[in-house]
Amino acid sequence: MIHMDVDKFVKKEILAMGGGSLTRSMPPMPPNAINLLAGDPDFNQPEFISKAVYDAMREGYTHYAFGGDPAFKTAIADYYGKYGVEVDPAKQVLITSGGSQAIFRAFGTILNPGDEVLLMDPCYTGYSQPAAYFGAKIIRAAQSKDEKRLFRPDFENIEAAITEKTKAVLICSPDNPTGAVWTEAEIGRLAEIAVEKDVLVISDEIYTEFIWDGKHVPIIDKPGMEERTMVLMSFSKTFAWTGCRAGYIIAGPQLMEKINQVPIGITGMPLPFQKAATKALAEGWDFVDSMREAYKRRIDAVVPRLNEIDGVSCPMPEGAFYVFPDVSSFGVPSMPLLLGLLKGGEVLVAPGSLYGPKGEGHVRLALVKPVDVLEEAVDRLGKYFSGLKG
Ligand SMILES: Cc1ncc(COP(=O)(O)O)c(C=O)c1O
């Protein structure tokens, strides 16, 4: 192979990003390790959804679908209507290749180099690199813990962090990794701030089907928010469809016209999958119910067991299927802790520092294994942590 310095050709924002993501750069897994790193559901989609992909191909849905399949967009608008929001499928829905592309498209619509995006701290890791790619600056508003030990938005920090350069505040509810579900009051407060400070809100709502305590409050429906909100959605978690790359954005009609102008192709999702996803939205809810029940059983099994470990403090999540215990009492930074846990405990978790400075002192466990495997994982954590205390 000829070695050549390609860096001189590469966009400076890409060079500034350094290496790849943690998921892609992990050391090899010990053979018996339990992997709770990625939020990839362990459920397989029902046969009728897989068959719908094949049927659509056989029926000839293999051609361009400029602007996306209108029937799919109508199904999406109807689905979101269950939150009391009226969505015009032709003017307010854009189909994407999963939540990640929805993030990219949302950022691609608004971010100029030097602009700022306000993220919560801690928050999901997948926002920073797309923002950096557009040359934007990530600002973080530290969250504070409530009496249930859950991280919640701190509005003083949010207001203080908004500057003239802030284009958008990005929120995620139900939240990955913290498990918080923003309350009616919190959503209302943020909407007021957004209007007052004249910024957009990007609202990542991909875990809305997995709420254990509280309810989903759509910020796009708050006064003055229709043209100020981009709702990001994905089928990855709702239908355990991480490999099928299905998602969408909902926004006000004017804003959507601009989102549509981000030039990343005809539509992000192959037409046969759009057909199958339409079927999933019509007939897939028993499957979602069964996943929801399984996740709840997992949470109920894991959280008390984690809290029995000396030095671990784990709040009950209100939504999503992660737990985010505080392990700061062991005094080990979360990245070396992850590597130690993997080697010494044979459990792979995500280090809290990945989610922002406030995430340090925590680890995230994705509950994407059956209860017995999760219990074994927690037992291993317990053994490893008791070794640290001793
Ligand atoms: C909060 C959040 N947003 C977006 C995504 C990306 O979703 P997708 O897999 O559909 O790209 C994830 C994936 O884990 C997530 O947790």
Side-chain angles (χ1 to χ4, degrees):
M1 197 165 76
I2 300 168
H3 275 284
M4 167 180 152
D5 179 16
V6 295
D7 284 7
K8 66 176 181 188
F9 300 109
V10 176
K11 189 173 158 63
K12 67 178 187 317
E13 286 81 4
I14 289 185
L15 293 177
M17 282 175 195
S21 76
L22 177 74
T23 328
R24 282 179 224 127
S25 60
M26 276 310 297
M29 290 272 287
N32 294 323
I34 301 174
N35 186 344
L36 305 179
L37 178 66
D40 192 349
D42 55 328
F43 307 97
N44 284 328
Q45 70 185 25
E47 178 57 25
F48 82 91
I49 305 182
S50 312
K51 189 171 168 297
V53 177
Y54 184 53
D55 287 347
M57 291 174 106
R58 289 179 50 142
E59 284 160 27
Y61 292 111
T62 49
H63 297 272
Y64 284 133
F66 296 105
D69 180 24
F72 182 34
K73 290 171 144 188
T74 301
I76 289 168
D78 289 350
Y79 163 74
Y80 205 70
K82 82 176 186 181
Y83 298 113
V85 184
E86 223 177 281
V87 175
D88 178 340
K91 296 195 175 142
Q92 292 188 260
V93 177
L94 175 113
I95 296 164
T96 65
S97 172
S100 307
Q101 198 192 63
I103 296 166
F104 190 87
R105 258 189 124 126
F107 286 175
T109 311
I110 59 171
L111 295 179
N112 293 312
D115 285 346
E116 293 176 0
V117 187
L118 182 57
L119 302 183
M120 299 304 112
D121 179 14
C123 75
Y124 171 60
T125 54
Y127 308 129
S128 324
Q129 294 220 336
Y133 176 82
F134 290 108
K137 195 166 159 203
I138 292 295
I139 308 290
R140 292 177 187 270
Q143 304 197 88
S144 334
K145 287 191 183 175
D146 66 6
E147 66 290 347
K148 292 190 285 184
R149 297 170 287 160
L150 280 169
F151 278 107
R152 301 219 76 89
D154 180 320
F155 291 98
E156 271 181 30
N157 290 347
I158 291 174
E159 284 195 88
I162 295 176
T163 72
E164 300 219 312
K165 291 186 181 155
T166 310
K167 278 282 179 70
V169 180
L170 198 159
I171 65 167
C172 180
S173 175
D175 190 73
N176 166 18
T178 70
V181 172
W182 286 47
T183 62
E184 179 84 54
E186 287 166 340
I187 290 288
R189 180 84 191 91
L190 183 67
E192 281 168 11
I193 293 174
V195 172
E196 192 188 304
K197 302 260 186 184
D198 195 17
V199 294
L200 299 183
V201 170
I202 300 176
S203 179
D204 185 334
E205 303 180 9
I206 81 168
Y207 292 97
T208 40
E209 288 302 328
F210 306 107
I211 293 186
W212 324 115
D213 188 5
K215 66 172 176 134
H216 184 59
V217 184
I219 195 161
I220 194 167
D221 210 28
K222 294 289 166 208
M225 290 307 290
E226 189 187 51
E227 289 293 359
R228 238 176 233 293
T229 307
M230 299 187 200
V231 178
L232 312 183
M233 282 293 218
S234 168
F235 280 58
S236 294
K237 318 291 164 160
T238 310
F239 292 102
W241 246 32
T242 47
C244 296
R245 312 310 305 138
Y248 53 98
I249 302 179
I250 292 175
Q254 290 177 57
L255 191 53
M256 184 52 84
E257 250 183 69
K258 306 295 179 204
I259 302 171
N260 256 309
Q261 280 175 254
V262 178
I264 54 171
I266 311 256
T267 176
M269 186 178 164
L271 184 54
F273 285 89
Q274 295 186 43
K275 292 287 179 195
T278 310
K279 204 159 179 102
L281 282 174
E283 297 166 33
W285 297 105
D286 287 349
F287 172 55
V288 178
D289 288 346
S290 66
M291 281 194 292
R292 191 184 296 117
E293 281 159 23
Y295 285 134
K296 184 69 177 94
R297 277 197 299 275
R298 294 172 184 187
I299 290 168
D300 289 343
V302 160
V303 172
R305 232 179 159 99
L306 277 167
N307 281 315
E308 279 167 19
I309 303 173
D310 191 18
V312 174
S313 166
C314 184
M316 203 69 184
E318 294 172 334
F321 45 78
Y322 305 96
V323 287
F324 199 53
D326 187 327
V327 292
S328 55
S329 73
F330 300 106
V332 183
S334 61
M335 194 58 204
L337 190 64
L338 159 118
L339 295 172
L341 262 172
L342 181 59
K343 233 176 126 207
E346 301 203 315
V347 182
L348 180 58
V349 298
S353 55
L354 208 62
Y355 305 97
K358 277 280 190 180
E360 186 50 278
H362 300 73
V363 289
R364 190 197 75 171
L365 283 61
L367 304 186
V368 291
K369 294 280 189 290
V371 167
D372 57 330
V373 179
L374 293 172
E375 287 179 342
E376 166 65 22
V378 177
D379 288 349
R380 291 184 191 183
L381 291 186
K383 266 195 210 130
Y384 183 78
F385 284 137
S386 68
L388 287 184
K389 280 269 177 197

